[in-house]
Structures are given as C-alpha cells and as structure tokens.
Amino acid sequence: MLALSVLFLGLLSLASADCTNPAVRREWRTLSTDERANWISAVKCLGELPHDPALTPFVNPDDIAPVNASGSYYDDIVYMHMDLNHLIHFTGLFLPFHRWYVQVYENALKEKCGFTGTSPYWNWAADAADVFGSTIFQEFDPISGLGGWGNLSNDAEVPNGAFSDFKLSYPSYHTLRRNFTLQPYIGLDTEFFTDPSKDANATFTQSEVDKMVNGFVGDYKGFQTYMEGFEGAHGSVHEILGGDLGGTCPSNAPANCTPGPTFSANEPMFWMHHAMVDKVWYDWQIANSANAGIFYGGSVQMIDNATIYTEYPNGGPPMLSLDSVMHADGMFQESSVGDVINTTAGILCYIYE
C-alpha cells in the first residue's frame, strides 16, 4: 500500500503540471450578492431544462421510483444519486464519487446555464453552535437568498428566498422542503445509532473538523469512517436540515417511499454541504504527506449488522483501486477514482480558500 501511494504521488506531481491556475472554491458568505445570484440562477436554470434521455440507470434498485421523463435536467442529476446510492455510501467510493459529482454538477451549471463562478461550500463548522439561527438561513432575497426554514404547517416547504418555488420530481412532485431537526437519531436502530439522543450539531463543530483534518494520518479508512459514520458529520448535516436534505418523504409521496440519502441532492444545500465534505478531505490530504494520494475501500456495502460494519465500514470485497470506474448513468463521461484523488491533477483543477 505504501509503495503504491509513493508511486502515485510521483504520478500526481507530473499530472499537476496541467493545472497551473486552479479555481478557488469559497465559502458561500464570502461571495458577493451578484456571485450568489449567479449560482442560484444557474441552479434554477437546470431545474427548468428538460429531462435528458441519455439518463440510463446502472443499478435500478427497488427502493426508488422509476425515471420520470417529465422531470427536469436537475432531477436527472438527482436521479443519479438515487440510482447509485448503494454503491456510493459506506463504500470506498463515498469521498471520490461525491468530489466528482460536485465537479460535474459545476460543469453542467457552466455549460448549460452560464454559471461563471466555482462551486461554493457551506462551512457548517462555523454554524455548529446555532445552526437554526445561522445567517445562511436568513437570506430571504428572491434573487440571491437561499431561503430559511420550512413552514411546518405546509409540509416544511421553504417559504422564502430564491428556492421557494423550486419544484422537484422525486420521490414525488413537490416544492423544496427544509425542517430543522436537532436530535434526528431518536427512534432509529440503536445497533448503529448508539447515542440516539445526541445533538446532531455536536458532530460537526470546529473541534471535530480539526480532529478529522489533523488525525488519521495515513489512514484513509479511518478518516472516511469518522466522517461518514452513522452519527458522523456527513450524516448529521443532512439530518439536521431535514426535509429534502434529510431524505424525508414529502406528504404526497407514494406509500412505498423509502426515506434516506437517495433523493437528498434535491436540496441545493446538498452541493455546498458536499463541497464542505470535500474541503475537509482536501484539508486532510494536504495536512500530512502520508495522506496525499492514498485510497482504500471496498465496493460492497457491509451494513447488515454492526459486527460486519465494524470490520468493513467503508465497504467489503471486491476491493476498489485507483483504477476503479465511477458510474455516471449516461449523464457524464465516466471517471476513475484516480482521476479525482487530487484536486489539482487528473480531471480536476481547484483548491479551497
């Protein structure tokens, strides 16, 4: 493993010569009003474009709805996450897939809708002490604001800001929803959620981010497990926002609607959340030379019980490698793990502010 990492680092140093002027991804609140409006306008533009018939589900799991051809291009991108759910969570693909997914989404914003910026991120660690009162959810401007918390008397639909009219097709046609939930793990399976009364925001404080970035030296599996664990920062941010990011079924959903991570990309905050997840991985990668370019994980979810999950928290055999391909459901050109292991090499050229 060490020899492979050293070899790959050498290859990365050569490939990075192609990335001489990396784009800089910035925190949402450092953007100007015009920059925020540009991103929001492009996101809504994708939601107005027609379905792309190139969408070809690879997995076709039985816990999601079939493709809705009357949906939008934005819905198509969401459907990729739905279709590939079991391949990209609790497997080694979690970090590289979502890094790639945010990038191809940014590419679509630019190529189809005239976006001129870079993918913003939401620094949730800065808001951990008071997510509900965060300034990011107090932006009600209909052009440049993300909107606030949902109206609980109206299925938690976001009532203000630019996304108050954002329509989504999965799991049923509805308007974007957001529902603050401080203790989302109460009532869930205690075999995996061992501290169900935990406040979700306790898992993504600055001290928790520092623990991830500065710990797990040379330990990709440990880093991913801490980030993606059942009560880890990744899931807690999804759950504390509830609604679409939390994967809760809308009130008009069919009876067989399965809650969970499948349609969480409905929420535009998904992209900023996963840019932040990517930033933490990026920061960890550059924090110590032992972290740069390393990768480890299996291709099969091992979450049938806590015992097997403990042994294979980021997937079991067959094991993945840098050459492993990430499926794109016909929407984008497929890429390998190695293509995205470095943000300034392969197919990527960006850094974080």
Side-chain angles (χ1 to χ4, degrees), residues 313-337:
N314 72 333
M319 303 307 287
L320 298 164
S321 73
L322 295 170
D323 294 326
S324 296
V325 172
M326 298 180 293
H327 296 287
D329 276 12
M331 294 285 291
F332 305 100
Q333 182 176 342
E334 292 183 343
S335 298
S336 70
V337 172

Side-chain angles (χ1 to χ4, degrees), residues 189-210:
D189 187 351
T190 56
E191 182 178 18
F192 295 104
F193 299 93
T194 56
D195 185 8
S197 62
K198 176 186 291 186
D199 289 351
N201 59 345
T203 70
F204 54 87
T205 61
Q206 188 59 54
S207 63
E208 286 294 295
V209 170
D210 292 343

